[in-house]
Amino acid sequence: MPEIAFVKPAMPKHGALVLPIAEDGEPAGLHAALDKASGGALSRALEAASFKGRKGQSATLWAPVEGISRVVAIGLGKSAELTAEGAEAAGGACYGLVAKEREAMVAAEGLAAPVAAGFALGLLLKSYRFDRYRTTEKEDDKPKLEKVAVATDAATACKNAWAPLRAIADGVFIARDLVSEPPNVLHPVEMAERCKPLEKLGLTIEILGPKEMRKLGFGALLGVSQGSAVEPRMVVMQWLGASGGTAATKKKPAQKPVAFIGKGVTFDTGGISIKPAGGMEDMKWDMAGAGTVIGLMAALAGRKAKVDAVGLVGLVENMPSGTAQRPGDVVKTASGQTVEVINTDAEGRLVLCDVMHYAQQRFDPRFMVDLATLTGAIIIALGHEHAGMFSNDDTLAQQLSAAGKPVGEAVWRMPLGEAYDKQLKSEIADMKNVGGRPGGSITAAQFIQRFVDKGRPWAHLDIAGVAWSSKDLPTAPKGATAFGVRLLDRLVADHYEG
Ligand code: BES
Ligand code: MN
Ligand code: ZN
């Protein structure tokens, strides 16, 4: 991933020159300087390419002057409509056009600081690659971009706008790395270990194993885990950015924390209710909710957010074996409620219910948001364009909807209700873990809601359709998206800081 710097405008001596151009913009600065130096070749090239600066447009001019190997024009659309978010998409589109250069300079003299920083963020996010396990890729095929210099007359304002974005990008990359790792490498024990280094950001990290979980009565989570050869883990992450200090300093928190809970099934075979073989490899992504919570906590700590936040993830592997739980088993959850496990493939809710109960008992949070790749049914309902949102609180739901739009992580509110809840009725226990095919995502949410304390604002995000993408997105290559890191960071920034 390239390093980003903000510099005074000066014609680059090598590499690429990037020109973000608005539809109604007049050539100035480096743009005008290059046109002059090339004897008007740039204007002629843009004219010949019918480049008008519209959103999504781009044009490349090769080696117009000594030293500069390419000039890349990127359309920004109408300047009056240009936002930081629009600039992100333009930055993302730019990346592929300069990826084979070692250095690129972005002529951002005409852009306001948040827009210039947004352009850089889009470019950086799009440059993500997970290539740990490639050993034979040819040098020529690899991206080369090492340095992006953003040329601006407002370097200080840009750097201030950039600092938090850089921390957020780091959080996104942490989440994408975790989600991309193969399931033989990233099992529950390893995933918990990978949280440890985040202590250097000022997070307090606790890791609980099966012994502690048995003591806490986590019968539902442990039931899911019992077929696996790898032990389960729960990781509790704390960021005390509002009260100052860390949880370890034992300073009394000034406010109730906000809480984020993630489903971390490092591989979901379905268990004894085993899944079909085709596409089962995708179930390495079933820990994306947990990956997002970890990335989010890193982002909040990295940008020193003025909030007290806790992040908890339940990490298990759902395997079939001689020790696996059976359909028909009854388990006792940490809350005391009992569950008849009808389908061992509806395991995410069994993990979440114990972790969520624990989070409320211990932290009494202001609100709780859980993230989970919970149901295939949400993909049928919403496709890959929105995460499903379920909430018992209109204010929180409204805040989440608003936070998602500008960062390109949209959520769509789904209903909850008594009638759906009835579908969970069991003949032998307090509830079944499945409610049948009708409204499968809703009954899953109803199940989880049974573990939310009365009066506690809560939202559940079913991210099964958005946690990874089979096609390139504006600011992410195909694969793990880290959906939720930016949305929840934005939620905190907009409403829960200070
Ligand atoms: N992890 C899956 C949900 C999932 C499916 C995520 C496809 C991404 C893509 C979850 O644990 C699961 O298996 N859910 C079942 C629930 C059913 C048994 C009630 C499902 O959606 O089929
Ligand atoms: Mn499952
Ligand atoms: Zn699952």
Side-chain angles (χ1 to χ4, degrees):
M1 262 89 63
E3 192 189 301
I4 311 277
F6 295 88
V7 302
K8 283 224 172 66
M11 193 57 77
K13 303 251 169 352
H14 41 252
L17 177 64
V18 174
L19 306 173
I21 297 173
E23 266 177 74
D24 41 7
E26 283 299 318
L30 292 175
H31 180 169
L34 188 104
D35 198 30
K36 194 162 171 224
S38 67
L42 176 60
S43 320
R44 290 194 298 277
L46 295 184
E47 177 78 29
S50 303
F51 179 91
K52 300 274 194 300
R54 282 197 288 270
K55 257 187 201 160
Q57 271 194 319
S58 66
T60 298
L61 172 62
W62 298 93
V65 297
E66 184 81 39
I68 295 181
S69 48
R70 71 180 97 186
V71 176
V72 173
I74 300 280
L76 296 174
K78 296 203 174 65
S79 50
E81 293 165 15
L82 183 59
T83 58
E85 294 76 31
E88 278 182 31
C94 172
Y95 173 70
L97 301 170
V98 298
K100 292 291 173 68
E101 300 282 351
R102 286 198 192 283
E103 291 183 31
M105 177 172 287
V106 180
E109 306 109 306
L111 305 180
V115 173
F119 189 92
L121 177 64
L123 192 153
L124 181 62
L125 290 176
K126 189 64 177 263
S127 77
Y128 176 78
R129 238 170 96 87
F130 186 76
D131 49 13
R132 248 185 189 210
Y133 301 106
R134 294 177 201 264
T135 66
T136 57
E137 193 179 30
K138 294 195 191 75
E139 272 312 305
D140 270 1
D141 294 339
K142 290 185 186 165
K144 308 239 163 17
L145 193 62
E146 288 166 5
K147 229 176 129 179
V148 175
V150 181
T152 171
D153 299 311
T156 311
C158 281
K159 281 177 193 158
N160 289 339
W162 178 246
L165 298 183
R166 173 70 244 195
I168 293 165
D170 283 338
V172 166
F173 293 154
I174 287 169
R176 287 182 187 169
D177 278 348
L178 290 170
V179 173
S180 301
E181 283 285 5
N184 58 330
V185 173
L186 199 82
H187 47 66
V189 173
E190 173 66 16
M191 191 163 170
E193 283 307 311
R194 299 240 182 143
C195 297
K196 275 266 186 63
L198 301 180
E199 282 185 330
K200 68 176 183 293
L201 294 174
L203 288 167
T204 309
I205 311 279
E206 290 162 64
I207 300 178
L208 284 74
K211 225 174 103 198
E212 293 88 357
M213 292 194 231
R214 268 193 294 276
K215 241 192 232 148
L216 291 163
F218 278 24
L221 184 153
L222 289 166
V224 174
S225 167
Q226 78 189 32
S228 171
V230 186
E231 286 185 352
R233 292 286 185 267
M234 175 169 69
V235 183
V236 181
M237 294 162 276
Q238 296 185 65
W239 168 247
L240 298 185
S243 353
T246 63
T249 65
K250 297 260 174 7
K251 227 174 130 177
K252 202 161 170 52
Q255 55 175 225
K256 287 189 191 182
V258 298
F260 302 101
I261 319 294
K263 166 181 172 180
V265 176
T266 62
F267 196 74
D268 181 13
T269 64
I272 295 299
S273 312
I274 198 163
K275 289 179 181 294
M280 203 203 275
E281 67 278 9
D282 289 354
M283 284 300 119
K284 76 169 185 179
W285 285 319
D286 211 20
M287 36 55 72
T292 296
V293 168
I294 295 164
L296 169 68
M297 294 303 291
L300 293 175
R303 71 172 181 80
K304 304 218 173 334
K306 289 192 171 37
V307 68
D308 288 351
V310 296
L312 294 91
V313 296
L315 309 176
V316 302
E317 186 182 51
N318 189 20
M319 298 292 270
S321 77
T323 61
Q325 75 177 343
R326 296 143 290 253
D329 281 5
V330 172
V331 295
K332 187 162 187 169
T333 67
S335 74
Q337 301 177 82
T338 56
V339 179
E340 182 187 8
V341 179
I342 298 294
N343 189 320
T344 64
D345 197 12
E347 84 297 341
R349 60 200 78 179
L350 296 169
V351 173
L352 287 172
C353 70
D354 282 342
V355 178
M356 285 170 59
H357 177 76
Y358 175 86
Q360 293 170 97
Q361 289 285 110
R362 176 162 172 198
F363 295 110
D364 185 23
R366 285 165 87 172
F367 71 73
M368 177 165 61
V369 175
D370 76 83
L371 295 106
T373 48
L374 204 64
T375 66
I378 202 68
I379 310 177
I380 305 303
L382 299 175
H384 303 287
E385 313 307 325
H386 289 88
M389 170 175 66
F390 300 81
S391 183
N392 62 0
D393 187 275
D394 291 345
T395 304
L396 182 59
Q398 165 52 35
Q399 291 171 344
L400 281 163
S401 295
K405 278 182 202 131
V407 299
E409 296 182 348
V411 300
W412 192 263
R413 192 170 183 184
M414 301 280 289
L416 289 163
E418 189 68 48
Y420 295 109
D421 197 68
K422 288 210 175 95
Q423 288 176 233
L424 296 172
K425 194 172 161 16
S426 162
E427 297 301 328
I428 174 173
D430 298 338
M431 70 197 88
K432 301 189 289 193
N433 74 329
V434 293
R437 274 171 63 83
S441 304
I442 308 175
T443 52
Q446 292 292 162
F447 180 97
I448 295 171
Q449 191 177 20
R450 288 183 176 217
F451 299 86
V452 176
D453 298 342
K454 224 168 159 236
R456 172 112 38 219
W458 155 78
H460 156 60
L461 302 180
D462 193 335
I463 58 171
V466 294
W468 57 89
S469 175
S470 51
K471 57 180 205 298
D472 283 0
L473 298 174
T475 58
K478 67 174 176 231
T481 60
F483 184 104
V485 172
R486 298 195 58 199
L487 162 71
L488 296 173
D489 173 78
R490 189 64 171 247
L491 172 78
V492 168
D494 286 351
H495 301 287
Y496 296 94
E497 281 194 63

